[in-house]
Amino acid sequence: MTVRLLVTGFTPFPGAPVNPTEHLIRHFEADPPLAGDDVAVGLAVLPVDYGRAIPALEEIAADFRPHAAVHFGLAKEAKGFRLERLARNEIAARIADNAGNRPQRSEIRPQAGHAPSALPLAAIETALRAGGHSVEWSDDAGGYLCNYVFFHSAAGLCRGLDAAMSGFIHVGPVALPDVEDDTASMDFNAFVQGAEIVLQTTVEACREK
């Protein structure tokens, strides 16, 4: 079985002029992960824009029809990998997106509940810790675009993702080559290695289903 795995990151956004998840996707475009392991990997950098993020996600997912989708995002206060258990049905952030949109606090889908991650989070935690990575747990992916994309994906609201094993993982600041950041909790190589562990564990869980 060839597992189709979709992996996404985000562009920079207000307050975060560098987004390591964008650099992760660009790295994987040049050096695809899980090569030779009967895995097809789809990659996308999503815009931090309420009007464009979901159409961009659907554009790749509708053609690719992934078995699993792993969404990465930046949480500046995280230390290492933060495993998100729950996509909340709400927009709550106070900051504007890259297009200047600042939606009012509201439900994303009226009268719907929250949506849990379907990723094998316990196995991911075990594998990351075995690889020497810091791991945190969270039931709140924020009220901004990360949670917005996570909810649409986990709740089956995106064309092409309705049957996918979907979830979201935040990472803290990452020390990128030639970019100084004294808040970084890991370097880029460690980020790539940890992300590959996440992807491999997710693929293994897909094969066991």
Side-chain angles (χ1 to χ4, degrees):
M1 171 186 175
T2 297
V3 175
R4 296 186 301 278
L5 177 65
L6 176 61
V7 188
T8 72
F10 283 100
T11 63
F13 55 90
V18 176
N19 193 327
T21 68
E22 176 183 32
H23 288 262
L24 177 72
I25 300 304
R26 301 308 181 205
H27 172 83
F28 283 157
E29 287 174 343
D31 187 6
L34 312 180
D37 198 26
D38 294 326
V39 180
V41 179
L43 300 166
V45 176
L46 302 179
V48 180
D49 181 327
Y50 284 104
R52 295 173 54 221
I54 302 307
L57 180 58
E58 288 184 328
E59 183 177 355
I60 182 171
D63 290 332
F64 190 56
R65 294 286 172 176
H67 297 104
V70 180
H71 307 292
F72 288 99
L74 170 65
K76 291 188 289 184
E77 71 280 7
K79 303 296 182 184
F81 291 85
R82 177 179 290 176
L83 309 185
E84 298 293 348
R85 286 181 283 225
L86 192 66
R88 294 180 175 270
N89 181 21
E90 62 181 356
I91 297 173
R94 297 182 179 90
I95 60 175
D97 67 12
N98 286 344
N101 301 307
R102 195 189 301 265
Q104 295 295 313
R105 187 183 186 102
S106 63
E107 290 183 317
I108 297 170
R109 187 175 193 180
Q111 301 182 334
H114 301 319
S117 172
L119 295 180
L121 294 180
I124 288 171
E125 178 193 27
T126 298
L128 282 172
R129 291 194 188 281
H133 299 279
S134 175
V135 181
E136 304 172 1
W137 287 91
S138 169
D139 292 318
D140 186 353
Y144 197 45
L145 266 295
C146 288
N147 181 76
Y148 187 73
V149 166
F150 182 17
F151 181 80
H152 277 83
S153 182
L157 302 182
C158 291
R159 237 173 357 109
L161 284 175
D162 51 309
M165 176 189 290
S166 174
F168 201 99
I169 295 178
H170 271 118
V171 295
V174 174
L176 300 170
D178 302 321
V179 178
E180 292 187 13
D181 187 348
D182 57 10
T183 68
S185 59
M186 59 182 157
D187 64 26
F188 186 66
N189 287 336
F191 179 29
V192 170
Q193 291 165 3
E196 289 179 336
I197 288 171
V198 171
L199 303 184
Q200 181 64 56
T201 306
T202 300
V203 167
E204 290 169 359
C206 281
R207 292 203 171 108
E208 292 170 0
K209 289 187 68 175

